């Protein structure tokens, strides 16, 4: 999984992104990344994970949608982003998240990460 985490961090370097937690003073909007591995029972050497990017903002929903479009350009739904080592990452879908307050807005973007081969993440 380390390869995926590093690759996504590199690709999102121009955006306000952090893995697992935002440690600086919040500057809205910002993006937090985390993942969930998907169990594969096939013997084809495929390993999969869903990588969730949660955008938190204070202005408008449109602001979050604009960031989503930037992420879709980085990890296109069809061809994805390939790092040259049998890994592909592509945009899968997005889900608005209710925060219970008018002040904050959240949008979760799901990326699919796939790796072929016998090497571990």
């Amino acid at each position: 999984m380390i390869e995926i985490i590093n690759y996504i961090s590199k690709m999102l370097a121009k955006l306000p992104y952090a893995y697992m937690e935002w440690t600086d003073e919040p500057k809205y909007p910002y993006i937090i990344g985390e993942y969930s591995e998907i169990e594969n029972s096939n013997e084809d050497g495929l390993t999969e994970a869903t990588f969730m990017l949660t955008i938190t903002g204070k202005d408008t929903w449109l602001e979050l949608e604009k960031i989503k479009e930037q992420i879709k350009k980085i990890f296109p739904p069809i061809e994805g982003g390939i790092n040259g080592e049998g890994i592909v990452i592509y945009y899968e879908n997005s889900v608005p998240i209710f925060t219970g307050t008018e002040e904050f807005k959240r949008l979760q973007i799901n990326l699919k990460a796939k790796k072929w081969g016998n090497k571990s993440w």
Side-chain angles (χ1 to χ4, degrees):
M1 205 55 217
I2 293 169
E3 293 168 326
I4 297 293
I5 293 166
N6 287 336
Y7 183 66
I8 289 174
S9 294
K10 177 183 166 189
M11 297 304 292
L12 298 180
K14 293 183 180 180
L15 296 173
Y17 169 77
Y19 174 68
M20 291 302 292
E21 63 182 335
W22 191 263
T23 56
D24 295 332
E25 185 70 29
K27 295 177 185 173
Y28 298 97
Y30 65 86
I31 307 163
I32 301 294
E34 58 187 302
Y35 70 91
S36 174
E37 291 181 297
I38 300 169
E39 189 69 33
N40 185 359
S41 60
N42 296 327
E43 296 178 8
D44 60 2
L46 174 65
T47 306
E48 292 183 84
T50 298
F51 208 91
M52 291 85 62
L53 302 175
T54 304
I55 309 168
T56 301
K58 288 181 108 175
D59 292 332
T60 66
W61 285 102
L62 184 58
E63 170 188 49
L64 305 184
E65 290 292 333
K66 287 178 181 177
I67 294 171
K68 177 179 85 172
E69 290 305 313
Q70 290 177 20
I71 292 170
K72 283 176 81 170
K73 287 180 182 175
I74 296 168
F75 302 106
I78 304 289
E79 61 270 4
I82 302 171
N83 81 344
E85 297 182 24
I87 296 172
V88 64
I89 303 169
Y90 58 91
Y91 173 89
E92 189 171 46
N93 60 25
S94 66
V95 181
I97 299 172
F98 180 67
T99 62
T101 176
E102 290 182 23
E103 183 178 12
F104 296 104
K105 287 137 183 79
R106 282 203 178 105
L107 181 66
Q108 178 178 312
I109 295 171
N110 297 314
L111 303 175
K112 184 66 74 180
K114 295 185 178 191
K115 181 175 193 250
W116 287 267
N118 295 328
K119 294 180 182 178
S120 65
W121 287 97

